[in-house]
Structures are given as C-alpha cells and as structure tokens.
Amino acid sequence: MPDFDFSLEKLKLYKGTNPCPNDFDSYWKDALNELSETEDNIVLKPAAFSAGFAECFDLYFTGVRNAKIHSKLLRPNNREDKTPVLLMFHGLSANCGDWHSKLAWVAAGFTVIAMDVRGQGGLSQDTGGVTGNTLHGHITRGAFSDDPHDLLFRQIFLDTAQLARIAINLDWVDGEKVYATGASQGGGLTIACAALEPRIKKLAPIYPYLSDYKRVWDMDLAIDAYEDIREYFRRFDPVHKKENELFTKLGYIDIQNLACRIKGETLMATGLMDKICPPSTQFALFNKIEASKRHVIFPDYAHEDLPNFGDMIFSFFNGCELNSI
C-alpha cells in the first residue's frame, strides 16, 4: 500500500470528509424540476464521418440555462430489434473523442452517445453562451454566487441526466438497457448520471473524479485536476475565512453525496497509487452505493490505463461473465 492514503482496511470503511449541505435533497429536487421544464430541442444531423455498419450523427440538445450541448451518436445500420444504448463521458478538458473509437460497441449492436462537457474541449456551450474551452475554475465556478444553483457542475450533472432521458426515449433504443461509462471526470459524470437518472441499468466508472473535495485538500493534493480549489483560496480567500463555507457549498456537487441514489448495477475500478483522484475519495462514494456493486482494485496502478478492465466493461454490458484479471 502507498503511504499517502489510508490502509485498504480503512478505505473499505471510509464514508467521506467533505460536509454535505443540510438541504442537499431539496437542492437536487429543485434542479431536476428545472430540468423537467427544459425543452430538449433535439437536432440530429448526419455526420461527415461514415462507416459501413454504423450510422453517425451529431446530436444537439438544449440544456439548462439555455446551453447548446453536443454529442456524437452512432447506431447500427442493420437493426432488427431495439438496441441497448451506452452513454460515454470524457475526462477533464477533453472532448467526446473520435468516431472510430466507438465502432467496436456499434459492431456489438449498441447505440453509443458520447457527450461533450460544456465549456471544455468539445462543441458544447458553457452557461455564458460561448462555444469551447472556458475550463479553468470549473469546480469553483459559481461558488461566489449566493445561489448554489449557479455552480457549473450542477448544470453539467443535469446535462448527463438529460442525455440519458433523451437516449431512453429514442424509438430504436431499448429503454431497459441503458448503460454509462467514463474515466476520471467521465467516471464522476457516470456516477452523477446514474444517480440523477435511476433508469440507468449498469454503470462502469473508472477512478471517478469530483468526490470528497475536503479530503483532497487535507491530503495536499489540490493540484492537477483539483487545482481549482487551491487557486480559489490563493486568489479569493487567502486566509481561509470562508473555508468551511466553500467546502459545504461544494458538497452540492460532490458525487459521494449522490451515490446512494444509484439503482443500477455498478462495476468500478480504482488504482491505489492514484494521486490525481486519491483512493479514499473513490472509496467514499463506492461505500455509499447501496445497489449491486463490484469494486476492482489495482494495487500498483495510478491514474492510467488499467489492464483488462476495458474487456471487463465490455463483458459487463454484454451480460457475460466477468473474466478475472
């Protein structure tokens, strides 16, 4: 075991450090009510990319706060029955990726929808109405506001739930076979999506980000992906007068507080050498999932490709036995 985090025995019992706001449930009830009142305005445009067995589209919808959200959608072109659908979420600052990277899933009979996170490396709009990268400070974006509903990751979490609702209602999709996956930020958004849209049947988050912010701070690991927190204090609260207020507000967008809402079967992976998303932050959320779950632990791996776990995910979503690693 590394010496920068808890022992494995303690990790398996750990339930988080970051405070949870007292009105957390009503906060997300109000957020989901706003989502329900948002018109999707779906636009499906044939893409320039093509493959012999796959139809490819750019999917646009209107998210909360009137943001235009982009995804790539691929579906088998020889469908006889309704297809399962796989939602894919990308890592911090990236985008939904190349078309060809989804083709193995389409060849296996899946519809795939991969979302661009607003304000990052793809084509989705940030709340301010601009297209493209407004990345720096996303965790703390909205923290100055008196209204915690202005937190940017609230809007991003709602985008994932809206995408799931759209997918479920596609006429060629089997609404009983809706799955989600992603790594790092994508893993965190997978958790948020399944928590806010409980019809997600299976989810496979990989070393999820956006969990237990105070624990990250206490470990002095608010660097790299969590640098927003350090910069917030340096620029706007240098003597930490409002430290508890900040972490309590971030509790609204802390996925460990959403994890108990998940109904789908969960397959999650964690590397115990991960200093970007520390193991304790990942265990905090996993330990709060009450649905069927399995945690695959890689003792010698960090925030990197995890051997054979992609094959496990493929088997998991195809209803096959999970091969041992």
Side-chain angles (χ1 to χ4, degrees), residues 37-271:
E37 296 170 358
T38 301
E39 293 289 336
D40 294 329
N41 299 319
I42 297 168
V43 175
L44 202 59
K45 298 172 61 175
F49 181 88
S50 62
F53 58 88
E55 297 176 302
C56 304
F57 301 89
D58 287 293
L59 168 68
Y60 293 90
F61 64 89
T62 301
V64 295
R65 308 293 173 97
N66 202 37
K68 188 176 183 180
I69 306 302
H70 171 259
S71 301
K72 288 179 176 176
L73 184 152
L74 303 85
R75 66 185 183 187
N77 65 8
N78 57 348
R79 302 178 306 281
E80 295 182 359
D81 300 313
K82 291 191 173 184
T83 75
V85 61
L86 176 59
L87 309 178
M88 289 184 167
F89 301 109
H90 64 73
L92 186 66
S93 83
N95 58 38
C96 63
D98 292 347
W99 296 97
H100 87 275
S101 65
K102 289 102 172 125
L103 290 177
W105 288 103
V106 182
F110 285 73
T111 293
V112 176
I113 311 178
M115 188 186 83
D116 281 336
V117 173
R118 57 172 77 191
Q120 296 190 10
L123 300 179
S124 295
Q125 286 181 318
D126 195 352
T127 307
V130 299
T131 299
N133 188 348
T134 59
L135 173 63
H136 194 66
H138 271 197
I139 289 176
T140 56
R141 181 79 62 82
F144 285 111
S145 173
D146 292 333
D147 184 356
H149 287 280
D150 290 335
L151 288 164
L152 179 59
F153 264 107
R154 170 202 185 262
Q155 329 312 347
I156 293 170
F157 288 1
L158 289 175
D159 292 340
T160 70
Q162 187 174 4
L163 183 69
R165 293 181 182 186
I166 290 169
I168 288 168
N169 289 318
L170 293 171
D171 59 12
W172 70 87
V173 161
D174 183 345
E176 295 298 314
K177 295 181 178 180
V178 183
Y179 311 137
T181 192
S184 194
Q185 176 184 257
L189 297 184
T190 295
I191 295 288
C193 181
L196 297 175
E197 178 41 82
R199 290 177 290 178
I200 299 291
K201 295 298 183 181
K202 293 184 179 182
L203 57 151
I206 305 167
Y207 37 69
Y209 172 61
L210 304 168
S211 178
D212 207 3
Y213 302 104
K214 183 63 164 58
R215 173 64 179 160
V216 175
W217 180 258
D218 289 344
M219 294 178 72
D220 197 27
L221 289 176
I223 53 178
D224 299 320
Y226 287 100
E227 185 181 11
D228 293 357
I229 299 171
R230 186 179 303 276
E231 284 300 303
Y232 181 91
F233 284 126
R234 286 177 57 85
R235 304 294 184 187
F236 306 112
D237 188 15
V239 296
H240 288 236
K241 288 183 177 180
K242 296 184 177 181
E243 178 177 319
N244 188 63
E245 179 182 332
L246 174 67
F247 284 114
T248 300
K249 187 171 286 188
L250 293 182
Y252 290 113
I253 55 167
D254 188 335
I255 58 172
Q256 64 163 321
N257 296 329
L258 286 166
C260 64
R261 297 176 173 224
I262 291 171
K263 302 299 183 185
E265 184 180 357
T266 303
L267 174 68
M268 182 169 139
T270 296

